[in-house]
């Protein structure tokens, strides 16, 4: 395949299209975000454990356990979706957008619960969503999908 016009008159798609720099950066952010989510999960588990060990009652045990499990699940799912996006899988982008939205909600809950470090997760999630919705990222994913169908 070349960049010469096709019989229909339209130009053939280029053979290569590099991953946009902003997507590379956001995938690095996603890995950092996964690490933060895992770390927050460990912190929450530690707080729950300390409270139970000292006979203290949690204000909202259900909320604490939910935040812990969501943090751990988010860490794993973030890494999986980052791998899918790096491979050019379009639905991986959609999965990552949904995960980021859930992480924003979880971050707000953690923030209200007294974990100011949750702001980092909220900011990274917002940046990730904005990059994933950018035209250059969509074009790159479309290019990858096209070549998977053709090749």
């Amino acid at each position: 395949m070349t960049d010469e016009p096709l019989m229909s008159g339209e130009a053939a798609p280029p053979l290569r299209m590099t991953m946009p720099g902003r997507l590379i950066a956001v995938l690095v952010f996603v890995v950092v975000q996964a690490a933060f989510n895992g770390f927050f999960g460990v912190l929450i588990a530690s707080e729950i454990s300390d409270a139970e060990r000292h006979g203290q009652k949690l204000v909202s045990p259900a909320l604490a356990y939910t935040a812990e499990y969501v943090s751990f699940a988010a860490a794993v799912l973030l890494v999986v979706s980052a791998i899918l996006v790096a491979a050019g899988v379009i639905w991986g982008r959609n999965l990552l957008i949904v995960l980021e939205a859930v992480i924003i909600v979880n971050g707000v809950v953690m923030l209200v619960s007294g974990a100011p470090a949750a702001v980092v997760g909220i900011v990274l999630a917002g940046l990730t969503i904005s990059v994933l919705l950018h035209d250059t990222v969509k074009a790159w994913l479309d290019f990858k999908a096209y070549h998977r169908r053709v090749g």
Side-chain angles (χ1 to χ4, degrees), residues 2-68:
T2 65
D3 289 334
E4 296 174 18
L6 298 174
M7 292 175 118
S8 65
E10 63 184 69
L15 289 175
R16 291 182 188 239
M17 184 175 184
T18 58
M19 184 185 294
R22 67 185 64 212
L23 182 57
I24 293 169
V26 92
L27 292 177
V28 170
F29 282 147
V30 168
V31 171
V32 169
Q33 188 179 28
F36 274 118
N37 273 279
F39 178 69
F40 290 144
V42 169
L43 287 179
I44 294 168
S46 173
E47 288 297 319
I48 292 170
S49 173
D50 286 347
E52 290 174 348
R53 193 173 30 249
H54 293 100
Q56 300 170 338
K57 285 193 138 197
L58 295 170
V59 175
S60 177
L63 183 63
Y65 283 110
T66 300
E68 175 189 6

Short mmCIF file of all heavy atoms in Angstrom, two decimals, residues 2-68:
data_model
loop_
_atom_site.label_atom_id
_atom_site.label_comp_id
_atom_site.label_asym_id
_atom_site.label_seq_id
_atom_site.Cartn_x
_atom_site.Cartn_y
_atom_site.Cartn_z
N THR A 2 0.49 2.24 -0.74
CA THR A 2 1.24 3.49 -0.77
C THR A 2 0.28 4.62 -0.51
O THR A 2 -0.92 4.43 -0.32
CB THR A 2 1.90 3.69 -2.15
OG1 THR A 2 0.86 3.84 -3.13
CG2 THR A 2 2.80 2.53 -2.51
N ASP A 3 0.81 5.83 -0.56
CA ASP A 3 -0.04 7.00 -0.40
C ASP A 3 -0.59 7.48 -1.73
O ASP A 3 -1.17 8.56 -1.81
CB ASP A 3 0.75 8.13 0.28
CG ASP A 3 1.01 7.84 1.74
OD1 ASP A 3 0.22 7.08 2.34
OD2 ASP A 3 2.00 8.37 2.28
N GLU A 4 -0.40 6.71 -2.79
CA GLU A 4 -0.92 7.08 -4.09
C GLU A 4 -2.44 6.96 -4.08
O GLU A 4 -3.00 6.17 -3.33
CB GLU A 4 -0.33 6.17 -5.16
CG GLU A 4 1.17 6.32 -5.30
CD GLU A 4 1.74 5.30 -6.26
OE1 GLU A 4 0.96 4.72 -7.06
OE2 GLU A 4 2.95 5.08 -6.22
N PRO A 5 -3.11 7.74 -4.92
CA PRO A 5 -4.58 7.67 -4.94
C PRO A 5 -5.08 6.28 -5.30
O PRO A 5 -4.47 5.57 -6.10
CB PRO A 5 -4.98 8.68 -6.01
CG PRO A 5 -3.79 9.55 -6.21
CD PRO A 5 -2.59 8.72 -5.84
N LEU A 6 -6.19 5.90 -4.71
CA LEU A 6 -6.85 4.65 -5.04
C LEU A 6 -7.64 4.83 -6.33
O LEU A 6 -7.77 5.94 -6.84
CB LEU A 6 -7.80 4.23 -3.91
CG LEU A 6 -7.15 3.96 -2.55
CD1 LEU A 6 -8.24 3.70 -1.52
CD2 LEU A 6 -6.22 2.78 -2.63
N MET A 7 -8.16 3.76 -6.86
CA MET A 7 -8.94 3.85 -8.09
C MET A 7 -10.12 4.81 -7.93
O MET A 7 -10.52 5.47 -8.85
CB MET A 7 -9.44 2.47 -8.49
CG MET A 7 -8.33 1.54 -8.94
SD MET A 7 -9.01 -0.07 -9.23
CE MET A 7 -8.65 -0.25 -10.95
N SER A 8 -10.67 4.88 -6.73
CA SER A 8 -11.82 5.75 -6.51
C SER A 8 -11.42 7.22 -6.41
O SER A 8 -12.27 8.09 -6.32
CB SER A 8 -12.56 5.33 -5.24
OG SER A 8 -11.72 5.53 -4.12
N GLY A 9 -10.13 7.49 -6.41
CA GLY A 9 -9.67 8.88 -6.37
C GLY A 9 -9.26 9.34 -4.99
O GLY A 9 -8.64 10.38 -4.85
N GLU A 10 -9.59 8.58 -3.94
CA GLU A 10 -9.19 8.99 -2.60
C GLU A 10 -7.81 8.44 -2.29
O GLU A 10 -7.39 7.43 -2.84
CB GLU A 10 -10.21 8.53 -1.57
CG GLU A 10 -10.34 7.02 -1.47
CD GLU A 10 -11.43 6.59 -0.51
OE1 GLU A 10 -12.61 6.82 -0.83
OE2 GLU A 10 -11.07 6.06 0.54
N ALA A 11 -7.09 9.13 -1.43
CA ALA A 11 -5.75 8.70 -1.06
C ALA A 11 -5.82 7.48 -0.15
O ALA A 11 -6.72 7.37 0.68
CB ALA A 11 -5.02 9.83 -0.35
N ALA A 12 -4.91 6.57 -0.35
CA ALA A 12 -4.84 5.39 0.52
C ALA A 12 -4.34 5.83 1.89
O ALA A 12 -3.57 6.79 2.00
CB ALA A 12 -3.88 4.37 -0.06
N PRO A 13 -4.79 5.17 2.93
CA PRO A 13 -4.31 5.54 4.27
C PRO A 13 -2.82 5.24 4.38
O PRO A 13 -2.32 4.32 3.73
CB PRO A 13 -5.13 4.66 5.21
CG PRO A 13 -5.74 3.61 4.37
CD PRO A 13 -5.75 4.09 2.96
N PRO A 14 -2.10 6.01 5.16
CA PRO A 14 -0.68 5.77 5.30
C PRO A 14 -0.43 4.41 5.96
O PRO A 14 -1.28 3.89 6.66
CB PRO A 14 -0.20 6.91 6.21
CG PRO A 14 -1.43 7.40 6.89
CD PRO A 14 -2.57 7.11 5.97
N LEU A 15 0.75 3.84 5.71
CA LEU A 15 1.07 2.54 6.28
C LEU A 15 1.31 2.61 7.78
O LEU A 15 1.04 1.67 8.49
CB LEU A 15 2.32 1.96 5.60
CG LEU A 15 2.11 1.51 4.16
CD1 LEU A 15 3.43 1.08 3.56
CD2 LEU A 15 1.11 0.37 4.11
N ARG A 16 1.83 3.71 8.24
CA ARG A 16 2.12 3.86 9.66
C ARG A 16 1.55 5.17 10.18
O ARG A 16 1.55 6.17 9.49
CB ARG A 16 3.62 3.87 9.91
CG ARG A 16 4.27 2.56 9.67
CD ARG A 16 5.74 2.67 9.98
NE ARG A 16 6.38 1.46 9.56
CZ ARG A 16 7.04 0.67 10.38
NH1 ARG A 16 7.16 1.00 11.63
NH2 ARG A 16 7.59 -0.42 9.94
N MET A 17 1.14 5.10 11.40
CA MET A 17 0.72 6.31 12.10
C MET A 17 1.18 6.13 13.53
O MET A 17 0.82 5.15 14.17
CB MET A 17 -0.80 6.46 12.03
CG MET A 17 -1.32 7.72 12.64
SD MET A 17 -3.11 7.84 12.36
CE MET A 17 -3.43 9.42 13.06
N THR A 18 2.02 7.04 13.98
CA THR A 18 2.56 6.89 15.32
C THR A 18 1.52 7.26 16.37
O THR A 18 0.63 8.08 16.12
CB THR A 18 3.81 7.76 15.53
OG1 THR A 18 3.47 9.11 15.30
CG2 THR A 18 4.93 7.34 14.58
N MET A 19 1.66 6.65 17.52
CA MET A 19 0.75 6.96 18.63
C MET A 19 0.97 8.41 19.03
O MET A 19 2.11 8.85 19.19
CB MET A 19 1.05 6.04 19.81
CG MET A 19 0.10 6.22 20.97
SD MET A 19 0.52 5.23 22.45
CE MET A 19 0.29 3.57 21.87
N PRO A 20 -0.12 9.17 19.18
CA PRO A 20 0.03 10.57 19.57
C PRO A 20 0.76 10.70 20.91
O PRO A 20 0.55 9.89 21.82
CB PRO A 20 -1.42 11.06 19.71
CG PRO A 20 -2.24 10.09 18.92
CD PRO A 20 -1.51 8.79 18.97
N GLY A 21 1.60 11.71 21.00
CA GLY A 21 2.35 11.94 22.23
C GLY A 21 1.46 12.12 23.44
O GLY A 21 1.77 11.64 24.53
N ARG A 22 0.33 12.79 23.24
CA ARG A 22 -0.58 12.99 24.37
C ARG A 22 -1.16 11.67 24.84
O ARG A 22 -1.45 11.52 26.01
CB ARG A 22 -1.66 14.01 24.02
CG ARG A 22 -2.64 13.53 22.97
CD ARG A 22 -3.63 14.58 22.56
NE ARG A 22 -2.92 15.66 21.93
CZ ARG A 22 -3.27 16.93 21.97
NH1 ARG A 22 -4.36 17.28 22.56
NH2 ARG A 22 -2.55 17.87 21.40
N LEU A 23 -1.34 10.71 23.94
CA LEU A 23 -1.84 9.40 24.34
C LEU A 23 -0.76 8.63 25.11
O LEU A 23 -1.07 7.98 26.12
CB LEU A 23 -2.31 8.59 23.14
CG LEU A 23 -2.90 7.22 23.45
CD1 LEU A 23 -4.08 7.33 24.42
CD2 LEU A 23 -3.35 6.53 22.16
N ILE A 24 0.47 8.74 24.67
CA ILE A 24 1.57 8.11 25.40
C ILE A 24 1.62 8.67 26.82
O ILE A 24 1.72 7.93 27.81
CB ILE A 24 2.91 8.32 24.68
CG1 ILE A 24 2.91 7.57 23.35
CG2 ILE A 24 4.09 7.88 25.56
CD1 ILE A 24 4.07 7.92 22.44
N ALA A 25 1.53 9.99 26.92
CA ALA A 25 1.56 10.63 28.24
C ALA A 25 0.40 10.17 29.11
O ALA A 25 0.57 9.90 30.30
CB ALA A 25 1.53 12.16 28.08
N VAL A 26 -0.78 10.07 28.52
CA VAL A 26 -1.94 9.68 29.31
C VAL A 26 -1.84 8.22 29.75
O VAL A 26 -2.27 7.86 30.84
CB VAL A 26 -3.27 9.97 28.58
CG1 VAL A 26 -3.78 8.80 27.77
CG2 VAL A 26 -4.35 10.37 29.57
N LEU A 27 -1.23 7.38 28.93
CA LEU A 27 -1.05 5.99 29.35
C LEU A 27 -0.06 5.89 30.50
O LEU A 27 -0.23 5.06 31.40
CB LEU A 27 -0.62 5.13 28.16
CG LEU A 27 -1.69 4.95 27.07
CD1 LEU A 27 -1.15 4.13 25.91
CD2 LEU A 27 -2.96 4.34 27.63
N VAL A 28 0.94 6.76 30.51
CA VAL A 28 1.84 6.83 31.67
C VAL A 28 1.06 7.29 32.89
O VAL A 28 1.18 6.73 33.99
CB VAL A 28 3.04 7.76 31.38
CG1 VAL A 28 3.84 8.02 32.65
CG2 VAL A 28 3.92 7.16 30.29
N PHE A 29 0.20 8.32 32.71
CA PHE A 29 -0.65 8.79 33.81
C PHE A 29 -1.54 7.66 34.32
O PHE A 29 -1.76 7.55 35.53
CB PHE A 29 -1.54 9.95 33.36
CG PHE A 29 -0.85 11.28 33.28
CD1 PHE A 29 -1.24 12.21 32.32
CD2 PHE A 29 0.17 11.63 34.15
CE1 PHE A 29 -0.63 13.44 32.24
CE2 PHE A 29 0.80 12.87 34.08
CZ PHE A 29 0.39 13.77 33.12
N VAL A 30 -2.07 6.86 33.42
CA VAL A 30 -2.96 5.77 33.83
C VAL A 30 -2.21 4.76 34.70
O VAL A 30 -2.75 4.28 35.70
CB VAL A 30 -3.61 5.10 32.60
CG1 VAL A 30 -4.30 3.81 32.99
CG2 VAL A 30 -4.61 6.04 31.95
N VAL A 31 -0.98 4.46 34.33
CA VAL A 31 -0.19 3.54 35.16
C VAL A 31 0.09 4.16 36.53
O VAL A 31 -0.02 3.49 37.56
CB VAL A 31 1.12 3.15 34.44
CG1 VAL A 31 2.05 2.37 35.35
CG2 VAL A 31 0.80 2.35 33.18
N VAL A 32 0.42 5.45 36.55
CA VAL A 32 0.63 6.15 37.82
C VAL A 32 -0.68 6.15 38.63
O VAL A 32 -0.68 5.91 39.83
CB VAL A 32 1.12 7.59 37.58
CG1 VAL A 32 1.09 8.42 38.86
CG2 VAL A 32 2.52 7.57 36.99
N GLN A 33 -1.77 6.39 37.94
CA GLN A 33 -3.07 6.41 38.60
C GLN A 33 -3.41 5.04 39.17
O GLN A 33 -3.95 4.94 40.27
CB GLN A 33 -4.14 6.85 37.59
CG GLN A 33 -5.48 7.09 38.19
CD GLN A 33 -6.44 7.55 37.12
OE1 GLN A 33 -6.30 7.22 35.96
NE2 GLN A 33 -7.45 8.29 37.54
N ALA A 34 -3.07 3.98 38.44
CA ALA A 34 -3.30 2.63 38.95
C ALA A 34 -2.49 2.42 40.22
O ALA A 34 -2.99 1.84 41.20
CB ALA A 34 -2.93 1.60 37.89
N ALA A 35 -1.26 2.91 40.22
CA ALA A 35 -0.43 2.78 41.42
C ALA A 35 -1.04 3.55 42.59
O ALA A 35 -1.08 3.05 43.72
CB ALA A 35 0.98 3.29 41.13
N PHE A 36 -1.52 4.76 42.33
CA PHE A 36 -2.18 5.55 43.39
C PHE A 36 -3.43 4.84 43.90
O PHE A 36 -3.67 4.81 45.10
CB PHE A 36 -2.57 6.95 42.89
CG PHE A 36 -1.48 7.96 43.00
CD1 PHE A 36 -0.98 8.58 41.86
CD2 PHE A 36 -0.94 8.31 44.22
CE1 PHE A 36 0.03 9.52 41.95
CE2 PHE A 36 0.07 9.25 44.34
CZ PHE A 36 0.57 9.85 43.18
N ASN A 37 -4.22 4.29 43.00
CA ASN A 37 -5.43 3.59 43.43
C ASN A 37 -5.09 2.38 44.28
O ASN A 37 -5.74 2.12 45.29
CB ASN A 37 -6.28 3.18 42.23
CG ASN A 37 -7.23 4.27 41.82
OD1 ASN A 37 -8.28 4.44 42.41
ND2 ASN A 37 -6.83 5.05 40.83
N GLY A 38 -4.07 1.63 43.89
CA GLY A 38 -3.63 0.51 44.71
C GLY A 38 -3.13 0.99 46.07
O GLY A 38 -3.45 0.39 47.11
N PHE A 39 -2.39 2.08 46.07
CA PHE A 39 -1.88 2.65 47.32
C PHE A 39 -3.03 3.12 48.22
O PHE A 39 -3.02 2.86 49.43
CB PHE A 39 -0.92 3.80 47.01
CG PHE A 39 -0.38 4.49 48.22
CD1 PHE A 39 0.52 3.84 49.05
CD2 PHE A 39 -0.77 5.79 48.52
CE1 PHE A 39 1.03 4.49 50.18
CE2 PHE A 39 -0.26 6.43 49.64
CZ PHE A 39 0.64 5.79 50.48
N PHE A 40 -4.02 3.80 47.62
CA PHE A 40 -5.17 4.25 48.42
C PHE A 40 -5.93 3.06 48.98
O PHE A 40 -6.42 3.10 50.11
CB PHE A 40 -6.11 5.13 47.59
CG PHE A 40 -5.54 6.48 47.26
CD1 PHE A 40 -5.82 7.08 46.04
CD2 PHE A 40 -4.73 7.17 48.14
CE1 PHE A 40 -5.30 8.33 45.72
CE2 PHE A 40 -4.20 8.40 47.85
CZ PHE A 40 -4.49 8.99 46.63
N GLY A 41 -6.03 2.00 48.19
CA GLY A 41 -6.69 0.79 48.68
C GLY A 41 -5.97 0.22 49.89
O GLY A 41 -6.60 -0.19 50.88
N VAL A 42 -4.64 0.22 49.83
CA VAL A 42 -3.84 -0.26 50.97
C VAL A 42 -4.04 0.65 52.18
O VAL A 42 -4.19 0.17 53.31
CB VAL A 42 -2.35 -0.36 50.58
CG1 VAL A 42 -1.48 -0.58 51.80
CG2 VAL A 42 -2.14 -1.46 49.55
N LEU A 43 -4.05 1.96 51.97
CA LEU A 43 -4.27 2.90 53.07
C LEU A 43 -5.63 2.69 53.73
O LEU A 43 -5.74 2.69 54.96
CB LEU A 43 -4.17 4.35 52.59
CG LEU A 43 -2.78 4.88 52.27
CD1 LEU A 43 -2.87 6.33 51.79
CD2 LEU A 43 -1.88 4.79 53.49
N ILE A 44 -6.66 2.53 52.92
CA ILE A 44 -8.00 2.31 53.46
C ILE A 44 -8.06 1.00 54.23
O ILE A 44 -8.62 0.93 55.33
CB ILE A 44 -9.06 2.35 52.34
CG1 ILE A 44 -9.13 3.76 51.73
CG2 ILE A 44 -10.43 1.95 52.87
CD1 ILE A 44 -9.91 3.83 50.44
N ALA A 45 -7.47 -0.05 53.66
CA ALA A 45 -7.44 -1.35 54.35
C ALA A 45 -6.71 -1.23 55.68
O ALA A 45 -7.13 -1.82 56.69
CB ALA A 45 -6.77 -2.40 53.46
N SER A 46 -5.64 -0.45 55.70
CA SER A 46 -4.87 -0.24 56.94
C SER A 46 -5.71 0.49 57.98
O SER A 46 -5.70 0.14 59.17
CB SER A 46 -3.60 0.54 56.62
OG SER A 46 -2.92 0.89 57.79
N GLU A 47 -6.44 1.51 57.53
CA GLU A 47 -7.30 2.27 58.46
C GLU A 47 -8.41 1.37 59.03
O GLU A 47 -8.71 1.43 60.22
CB GLU A 47 -7.91 3.48 57.75
CG GLU A 47 -6.94 4.59 57.49
CD GLU A 47 -6.37 5.20 58.76
OE1 GLU A 47 -7.12 5.40 59.73
OE2 GLU A 47 -5.15 5.46 58.79
N ILE A 48 -9.00 0.57 58.18
CA ILE A 48 -10.05 -0.35 58.63
C ILE A 48 -9.47 -1.33 59.64
O ILE A 48 -10.06 -1.57 60.71
CB ILE A 48 -10.68 -1.09 57.43
CG1 ILE A 48 -11.47 -0.12 56.55
CG2 ILE A 48 -11.58 -2.23 57.91
CD1 ILE A 48 -11.91 -0.72 55.22
N SER A 49 -8.31 -1.88 59.32
CA SER A 49 -7.66 -2.85 60.20
C SER A 49 -7.30 -2.22 61.54
O SER A 49 -7.52 -2.82 62.60
CB SER A 49 -6.41 -3.39 59.51
OG SER A 49 -5.67 -4.20 60.38
N ASP A 50 -6.74 -1.01 61.52
CA ASP A 50 -6.38 -0.32 62.77
C ASP A 50 -7.62 -0.06 63.63
O ASP A 50 -7.58 -0.24 64.85
CB ASP A 50 -5.67 1.00 62.48
CG ASP A 50 -4.24 0.81 61.98
OD1 ASP A 50 -3.72 -0.32 62.10
OD2 ASP A 50 -3.67 1.79 61.47
N ALA A 51 -8.68 0.38 63.00
CA ALA A 51 -9.91 0.66 63.74
C ALA A 51 -10.45 -0.61 64.39
O ALA A 51 -10.83 -0.60 65.57
CB ALA A 51 -10.96 1.27 62.82
N GLU A 52 -10.46 -1.71 63.64
CA GLU A 52 -10.98 -2.97 64.19
C GLU A 52 -10.07 -3.50 65.28
O GLU A 52 -10.54 -4.03 66.28
CB GLU A 52 -11.13 -4.00 63.07
CG GLU A 52 -12.26 -3.67 62.12
CD GLU A 52 -12.32 -4.61 60.92
OE1 GLU A 52 -11.35 -5.39 60.69
OE2 GLU A 52 -13.32 -4.54 60.19
N ARG A 53 -8.75 -3.36 65.12
CA ARG A 53 -7.79 -3.86 66.10
C ARG A 53 -7.91 -3.11 67.42
O ARG A 53 -7.70 -3.67 68.48
CB ARG A 53 -6.39 -3.75 65.53
CG ARG A 53 -5.35 -4.51 66.31
CD ARG A 53 -3.96 -4.55 65.68
NE ARG A 53 -3.60 -3.41 64.86
CZ ARG A 53 -3.44 -3.46 63.54
NH1 ARG A 53 -3.65 -4.58 62.88
NH2 ARG A 53 -3.09 -2.39 62.87
N HIS A 54 -8.26 -1.83 67.36
CA HIS A 54 -8.37 -1.02 68.57
C HIS A 54 -9.80 -0.93 69.09
O HIS A 54 -10.09 -0.14 69.99
CB HIS A 54 -7.81 0.38 68.31
CG HIS A 54 -6.34 0.38 68.06
ND1 HIS A 54 -5.82 0.44 66.79
CD2 HIS A 54 -5.28 0.30 68.91
CE1 HIS A 54 -4.50 0.42 66.86
NE2 HIS A 54 -4.15 0.33 68.14
N GLY A 55 -10.69 -1.71 68.51
CA GLY A 55 -12.08 -1.73 68.97
C GLY A 55 -12.87 -0.48 68.64
O GLY A 55 -13.90 -0.21 69.25
N GLN A 56 -12.39 0.29 67.69
CA GLN A 56 -13.09 1.50 67.30
C GLN A 56 -14.12 1.17 66.23
O GLN A 56 -13.95 0.23 65.46
CB GLN A 56 -12.11 2.55 66.77
CG GLN A 56 -11.08 2.97 67.77
CD GLN A 56 -10.00 3.82 67.13
OE1 GLN A 56 -9.78 3.78 65.93
NE2 GLN A 56 -9.29 4.59 67.96
N LYS A 57 -15.17 1.96 66.19
CA LYS A 57 -16.19 1.78 65.15
C LYS A 57 -15.93 2.78 64.03
O LYS A 57 -15.64 3.94 64.27
CB LYS A 57 -17.58 2.00 65.72
CG LYS A 57 -18.08 0.87 66.56
CD LYS A 57 -19.54 1.04 66.82
CE LYS A 57 -20.18 -0.33 66.68
NZ LYS A 57 -21.60 -0.26 66.52
N LEU A 58 -16.04 2.28 62.83
CA LEU A 58 -15.94 3.16 61.67
C LEU A 58 -17.25 3.93 61.54
O LEU A 58 -18.32 3.41 61.84
CB LEU A 58 -15.69 2.35 60.40
CG LEU A 58 -14.37 1.61 60.33
CD1 LEU A 58 -14.36 0.67 59.13
CD2 LEU A 58 -13.22 2.60 60.22
N VAL A 59 -17.14 5.16 61.08
CA VAL A 59 -18.35 5.97 60.88
C VAL A 59 -19.25 5.30 59.86
O VAL A 59 -20.46 5.20 60.06
CB VAL A 59 -17.98 7.40 60.43
CG1 VAL A 59 -19.22 8.20 60.10
CG2 VAL A 59 -17.15 8.09 61.49
N SER A 60 -18.67 4.84 58.78
CA SER A 60 -19.43 4.16 57.74
C SER A 60 -18.62 2.97 57.21
O SER A 60 -17.87 3.12 56.24
CB SER A 60 -19.76 5.13 56.60
OG SER A 60 -20.43 4.45 55.58
N PRO A 61 -18.77 1.81 57.86
CA PRO A 61 -17.98 0.66 57.41
C PRO A 61 -18.26 0.28 55.95
O PRO A 61 -17.34 -0.08 55.21
CB PRO A 61 -18.41 -0.47 58.34
CG PRO A 61 -19.12 0.17 59.47
CD PRO A 61 -19.58 1.50 59.01
N ALA A 62 -19.51 0.36 55.54
CA ALA A 62 -19.86 0.00 54.16
C ALA A 62 -19.13 0.91 53.17
O ALA A 62 -18.61 0.44 52.15
CB ALA A 62 -21.36 0.07 53.95
N LEU A 63 -19.10 2.18 53.48
CA LEU A 63 -18.41 3.14 52.60
C LEU A 63 -16.91 2.86 52.56
O LEU A 63 -16.29 2.90 51.49
CB LEU A 63 -18.69 4.57 53.07
CG LEU A 63 -18.11 5.68 52.22
CD1 LEU A 63 -18.72 5.66 50.82
CD2 LEU A 63 -18.38 7.02 52.88
N ALA A 64 -16.34 2.55 53.71
CA ALA A 64 -14.90 2.28 53.77
C ALA A 64 -14.56 1.03 52.96
O ALA A 64 -13.60 1.03 52.17
CB ALA A 64 -14.46 2.11 55.22
N TYR A 65 -15.32 -0.04 53.14
CA TYR A 65 -15.04 -1.27 52.39
C TYR A 65 -15.29 -1.07 50.89
O TYR A 65 -14.53 -1.58 50.07
CB TYR A 65 -15.89 -2.43 52.92
CG TYR A 65 -15.37 -3.01 54.20
CD1 TYR A 65 -16.05 -2.83 55.40
CD2 TYR A 65 -14.18 -3.73 54.22
CE1 TYR A 65 -15.56 -3.36 56.58
CE2 TYR A 65 -13.68 -4.27 55.40
CZ TYR A 65 -14.39 -4.07 56.58
OH TYR A 65 -13.90 -4.60 57.74
N THR A 66 -16.32 -0.33 50.56
CA THR A 66 -16.59 -0.07 49.14
C THR A 66 -15.44 0.71 48.51
O THR A 66 -14.98 0.37 47.42
CB THR A 66 -17.92 0.71 48.98
OG1 THR A 66 -18.98 -0.08 49.52
CG2 THR A 66 -18.19 1.03 47.53
N ALA A 67 -14.97 1.75 49.20
CA ALA A 67 -13.86 2.55 48.68
C ALA A 67 -12.61 1.69 48.52
O ALA A 67 -11.87 1.82 47.53
CB ALA A 67 -13.59 3.73 49.59
N GLU A 68 -12.38 0.79 49.48
CA GLU A 68 -11.21 -0.09 49.40
C GLU A 68 -11.29 -1.00 48.17
O GLU A 68 -10.35 -1.08 47.38
CB GLU A 68 -11.12 -0.94 50.67
CG GLU A 68 -10.02 -1.98 50.63
CD GLU A 68 -10.09 -2.95 51.79
OE1 GLU A 68 -11.05 -2.91 52.58
OE2 GLU A 68 -9.17 -3.77 51.88
#
